[in-house]
Amino acid sequence: GAGMGDWNPNQCYIYVDLAHVGEYDAALLGQLLNRPGEALPIMEMAAADALRTLLYATQRNNGTSLGSTGNEGSGDGEDMDEGGPDGTATTGAASNNLTPQQLFGGNSIQIMLRGNLTPTPLRSIQSHHMNTLLKCPGIIISCARVRPRAMALRIRCAKCLDSRTVFGNSTVSGTSSAGGSTTGLGSSSPFSGFSLPPRCLGPNPQECGPTPYAVLPDDCLFVDQQTLKLQEAPEMVPTGEMPRSVLVAVERGLVDKAPPGTRVTVLAIAS
């Protein structure tokens, strides 16, 4: 089995057909269509857990041991409360005060959706489409360069060296507000950023001053991201109108897949 250091979030993905999801559970399909931003991160972690279970069973049948893909432990996804970096026993939110690689290494597989949804023309996207899953045909007219996107940040106080992990919704490890924040990676929108704590969260915050935290790049978790411009196909533009376009952010296994001039049909979350 692969160790944590072998996990590359840009190369771990699986295709999922929406029709198959509907056959399995109609309620889950409804969640994917109406609240994909909440459902997809959970599905990605479930896919990684299923893969670990499959690998464990295969290795066990072959009489070999499976290497850990997460935090130090058996690799079953439930060993995060073994202990913190300082060796002390931690549970619940306190166990989240680990580095992004310790928390998420090997614990997420990108879900690439495909299916026969009703196409939504770009000029028909309205406010009620926000945060829902849309199928939009068009032509890629420009591509930005691939750049890294932070999925989880590791920060450290410059005075007392208190270290924390900042999750996608800007909650911080080791605090009561971090409960459940390890479910998803990255910020809520591909075009938004992170907020760092304005005060130190260590034992003596009054001695550290304002904005004491600095990012530790080597301990953060990054993935590839690319911004594309999707334009209406010529045959879909009404006579006398100019073609409309939208920005599309693709990540991980979808970067560098569609050069300018490519006709595509995009399944994406409107934001």
Side-chain angles (χ1 to χ4, degrees):
M4 180 183 67
D6 300 322
W7 175 66
N8 186 342
N10 299 308
Q11 298 177 358
C12 302
Y13 56 86
I14 184 174
Y15 290 97
V16 175
D17 196 304
L18 291 175
H20 297 165
V21 177
E23 293 175 2
Y24 174 74
D25 190 337
L28 178 58
L29 177 61
Q31 286 285 332
L32 272 176
L33 296 179
N34 299 317
R35 306 174 73 177
E38 298 178 11
L40 276 175
I42 299 174
M43 288 185 64
E44 291 184 346
M45 298 190 75
D49 185 63
L51 177 60
R52 269 197 306 275
T53 302
L54 178 63
L55 290 176
Y56 178 80
T58 302
Q59 297 269 348
R60 188 174 183 180
N61 292 337
N62 294 337
T64 58
S65 60
L66 177 66
S68 173
T69 58
N71 186 30
E72 295 181 0
S74 62
D76 59 2
E78 299 179 359
D79 288 327
M80 291 185 183
D81 56 353
E82 281 289 318
D86 57 356
T88 59
T90 56
T91 58
S95 67
N96 294 340
N97 196 19
L98 302 173
T99 67
Q101 283 289 350
Q102 288 174 314
L103 283 171
F104 301 115
N107 290 333
S108 182
I109 294 179
Q110 184 181 15
I111 300 292
M112 296 188 182
L113 298 175
R114 54 188 179 187
N116 294 322
L117 294 181
T118 302
T120 302
L122 296 185
R123 63 180 58 237
S124 298
I125 298 177
Q126 298 178 354
S127 59
H128 66 271
H129 289 117
M130 294 298 101
N131 300 317
T132 62
L133 193 65
L134 299 179
K135 181 179 182 179
C136 300
I139 300 176
I140 301 298
I141 60 173
S142 67
C143 300
R145 64 178 180 85
V146 178
R147 58 186 182 129
R149 178 194 175 196
M151 305 299 279
L153 297 180
R154 190 66 174 174
I155 58 176
R156 184 171 62 193
C157 177
K159 299 292 180 64
C160 67
L161 304 183
D162 176 70
S163 296
R164 306 279 172 165
T165 295
V166 183
F167 303 106
N169 54 2
S170 293
T171 54
V172 184
S173 63
T175 64
S176 58
S177 62
S181 61
T182 60
T183 300
L185 294 176
S187 52
S188 56
S189 169
F191 303 106
S192 62
F194 287 79
S195 297
L196 301 186
R199 306 286 296 182
C200 180
L201 300 175
N204 299 305
Q206 64 278 3
E207 298 180 1
C208 299
T211 60
Y213 284 103
V215 177
L216 304 176
D218 291 341
D219 293 331
C220 298
L221 182 61
F222 298 94
V223 298
D224 292 337
Q225 183 188 67
Q226 186 179 32
T227 302
L228 314 176
K229 182 172 284 189
L230 180 68
Q231 183 177 278
E232 290 177 300
E235 63 272 13
M236 300 183 67
V237 181
T239 303
E241 296 282 343
M242 293 290 293
R244 298 185 182 181
S245 60
V246 296
L247 290 178
V248 179
V250 295
E251 296 178 351
R252 295 180 274 182
L254 291 174
V255 302
D256 281 340
K257 298 296 185 183
T262 306
R263 284 180 174 263
V264 299
T265 300
V266 177
L267 270 177
I269 304 173
S271 63

